[in-house]
Amino acid sequence: MRLLLVEDNERLTTTLARGLRAEGYGVDASHNGQEGLSRALAHPYAAVVLDIMLPGLNGFAVCERLRRSGSTVPILMLTAKNGEYDEAEALDTGADDYICKPFSYVVLIARLRALLRRGGATRPPVLTAGDLRLDPAARRCRHGVTEIRLTAKEFAVLECLARRPDEVVTKIDIIDEVWDQAFDGDVNIVEVYVRTLRRKLPSGPAAIQTVRGAGYRLVTTHA
């Protein structure tokens, strides 16, 4: 899942982005409201973490314009303010939740997971791919009643394929979905994760197929 972090404190942005990436999320970061709004309108993010005190447009204005555009992306607002009027305005402008600075990183992650479970009507809460079941919010993969232990990045690659079952997904598409704008490595890193997934996934109807010169396909139907 790709998240958008809109926060003008570069130190906090770096810390949060590093932690979220360790959880397996792709993270794009913006440091002002106008850029954050433009990115949120242009890309189907899984969620937006939005500071209120931003240069250009503040978080209230960004949130309001996103909702006016018809966007239903889950929004978690960050604020250094702790007044009930600010909390009320955050919710009234369309935020789904808010958290006050300083905050616990563990609580932030828990709030995000809760939003991802509830939000995004077009994103199914549980993905079924053949005999596999993936729960993106809980980051759990099961084969029948057996849980398959995956790292955050392994899960993210499998989720990317499972959201487009029986379709060819290019390496670039996987990089764009699973990594983020900061990635500047070799796209063949995808091959490493695909090999690991093939070792971990049991044999069955769901299998990752290589389509030479094109990418990968999660096959969920019998020939």
Side-chain angles (χ1 to χ4, degrees):
M1 291 185 183
R2 181 79 67 87
L3 306 178
L4 175 62
L5 175 58
V6 190
E7 165 63 62
D8 65 332
N9 184 318
E10 294 192 17
R11 185 174 180 180
L12 177 59
T13 299
T14 299
T15 301
L16 281 179
R18 184 184 301 120
L20 290 167
R21 287 169 184 145
E23 294 286 332
Y25 298 105
V27 181
D28 290 346
S30 294
H31 299 297
N32 66 74
Q34 187 59 59
E35 181 186 46
L37 175 62
S38 297
R39 285 189 170 177
L41 290 172
H43 190 90
Y45 290 101
V48 176
V49 180
L50 177 64
D51 190 27
I52 288 179
M53 303 300 291
L54 292 167
L57 292 175
N58 65 31
F60 295 134
V62 173
C63 187
E64 183 180 21
R65 294 188 190 188
L66 278 174
R67 295 305 185 225
R68 205 187 316 153
S69 75
S71 172
T72 59
V73 63
I75 297 174
L76 173 64
M77 274 197 169
L78 306 179
T79 177
K81 298 182 178 181
N82 197 21
E84 60 183 12
Y85 291 106
D86 295 304
E87 296 168 3
E89 187 171 357
L91 297 175
D92 286 344
T93 54
D96 298 279
D97 199 0
Y98 61 86
I99 188 168
C100 296
K101 301 175 184 177
F103 52 81
S104 161
Y105 176 74
V106 172
V107 172
L108 173 71
I109 291 296
R111 294 277 187 91
L112 265 176
R113 285 176 176 158
L115 285 183
L116 292 170
R117 285 195 296 270
R118 299 196 303 263
T122 62
R123 300 179 74 88
V126 176
L127 300 171
T128 300
D131 43 8
L132 295 176
R133 288 174 61 83
L134 285 78
D135 184 341
R139 293 302 173 90
R140 304 182 76 173
C141 175
R142 292 182 182 276
H143 176 258
V145 297
T146 303
E147 183 163 354
I148 302 171
R149 296 190 178 277
L150 302 175
T151 67
K153 273 289 188 284
E154 289 165 359
F155 187 96
V157 171
L158 183 59
E159 179 191 353
C160 180
L161 295 171
R163 290 193 181 279
R164 295 164 61 178
D166 300 305
E167 294 182 18
V168 176
V169 185
T170 68
K171 289 180 183 178
I172 294 299
D173 286 343
I174 295 172
I175 290 290
D176 286 345
E177 180 68 24
V178 175
W179 280 264
D180 51 52
Q181 62 184 11
F183 181 81
D184 61 357
D186 189 340
V187 295
N188 289 324
I189 188 67
V190 175
E191 294 179 13
V192 176
Y193 285 95
V194 168
R195 282 198 299 270
T196 304
L197 285 170
R198 284 172 172 158
R199 288 198 299 268
K200 290 188 175 184
L201 297 179
S203 58
I208 301 175
Q209 180 184 83
T210 298
V211 181
R212 293 195 178 279
Y216 300 97
R217 177 193 293 123
L218 183 63
V219 180
T220 60
T221 57
H222 294 287

